[in-house]
Structures are given as C-alpha cells and as structure tokens.
Amino acid sequence: MSTPAAVGQGDASFVAADQLKSITERIERLEEEKAGIAGDIKDVYAEAKANGFDVGVLRTIIRLRKKDHDERTEEEAILELYLQALGMA
C-alpha cells in the first residue's frame, strides 16, 4: 500500500512530465516556424540579388538598423579611427 507522500510524489512527477512534454512540443513548433521564416528571408535576399542589389550591403543595413543611433554612431567612429590607423581613410 502506498503512503500519501509517495502518491503525492507520483502525481508531481506526472505533472512535471506533462509540463515538460508540453514545453518540448511548443519549442519544436517554434523551431519549425523559425526554419520557415529563415527560408522566407533567404528568398527575399535572393530576390534582392536578382534585382541587382548587393546582398552583403543589404545585410549590413539590416544589422545597422537594429542598433540605436548612439550605438551606430560609436561603431562608425571606431571604424573610421581604425581605417585611419591603417591608412585606408
């Protein structure tokens, strides 16, 4: 015969297993969506390239647009300093 503590532990592990399964399935669905979105982004870059745009520059623009103004300004200043140090500016 099981003690109440043992029954309680069994219920908790069942709930934890259920919750773990739910979380795992949600992550798997999100990973599938992420893969689909990554494919869509790849298609848009291919379209840009087919229309004559430089994809590398386009990726740089996207990266820069994610940064706030101050961060972008600081990065540009450091880049300019490095270019000058290398005699490239």
Side-chain angles (χ1 to χ4, degrees), residues 3-4 6 11 13 15 31 40-41 46 51 55 59 64-65 68 70-73 75 78 83 89:
T3 63
D11 292 343
S13 65
V15 170
E31 289 289 344
D40 292 346
I41 292 170
N51 286 309
V55 173
R59 288 183 188 278
L64 290 173
R65 286 176 52 116
D68 67 21
D70 293 337
E71 188 178 3
R72 202 169 49 242
T73 302
E75 183 178 301
I78 293 170
L83 290 173

Side-chain angles (χ1 to χ4, degrees), residues 2-31:
S2 298
T3 63
V7 171
Q9 288 176 349
D11 292 343
S13 65
F14 176 76
V15 170
D18 241 10
Q19 186 178 23
L20 180 60
K21 182 179 178 184
S22 173
I23 289 170
T24 302
E25 289 170 350
R26 286 171 42 205
I27 291 170
E28 289 171 342
R29 276 194 308 275
L30 290 169
E31 289 289 344

Side-chain angles (χ1 to χ4, degrees), residues 43-59:
D43 292 344
V44 173
Y45 279 117
E47 178 185 341
K49 184 175 182 175
N51 286 309
F53 292 102
D54 185 313
V55 173
V57 173
L58 189 56
R59 288 183 188 278

